[in-house]
């Protein structure tokens, strides 16, 4: 008897009645991040700095090889 109930719940999940939509998840994330705008801005800025430094590594390695 419990197998029947489990199957019913699985089928509802597959049809999307229990799952959240992508927009609902994104709205939730946006609301949570907007509670800490300085942290969000700092995270974005530091990520961009890290990407910039990562892109400079081949340039610096090339100059190091040229020097040696």
């Amino acid at each position: 008897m419990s197998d029947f109930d489990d199957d019913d719940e699985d089928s509802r999940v597959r049809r999307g009645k229990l799952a959240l939509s992508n927009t609902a998840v994104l709205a939730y994330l946006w609301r949570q991040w907007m509670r800490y705008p300085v942290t969000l801005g700092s995270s974005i800025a530091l990520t961009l700095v890290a990407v910039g430094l990562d892109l400079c590594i081949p340039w610096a390695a090339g100059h190091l090889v040229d020097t040696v």
Side-chain angles (χ1 to χ4, degrees), residues 8 14 23 38 46 51 54 59 61-62 66 68:
D8 186 40
R14 276 185 254 127
T23 55
V38 174
L46 290 174
V51 167
D54 196 31
W59 174 75
D66 288 344
V68 172

Side-chain angles (χ1 to χ4, degrees), residues 12-35:
R12 285 187 295 162
V13 170
R14 276 185 254 127
R15 287 187 302 224
K17 291 185 178 178
L18 295 179
L20 292 174
S21 67
N22 290 337
T23 55
V25 171
L26 290 175
Y28 171 77
L29 289 173
W30 180 257
R31 284 192 310 271
Q32 293 302 315
W33 273 112
M34 286 300 99
R35 293 172 60 196

Side-chain angles (χ1 to χ4, degrees), residues 30-64:
W30 180 257
R31 284 192 310 271
Q32 293 302 315
W33 273 112
M34 286 300 99
R35 293 172 60 196
Y36 306 103
V38 174
T39 304
L40 175 63
S42 299
S43 297
I44 291 172
L46 290 174
T47 299
L48 291 175
V49 168
V51 167
L53 291 174
D54 196 31
L55 291 174
C56 289
I57 289 175
W59 174 75
H63 284 291
L64 182 61

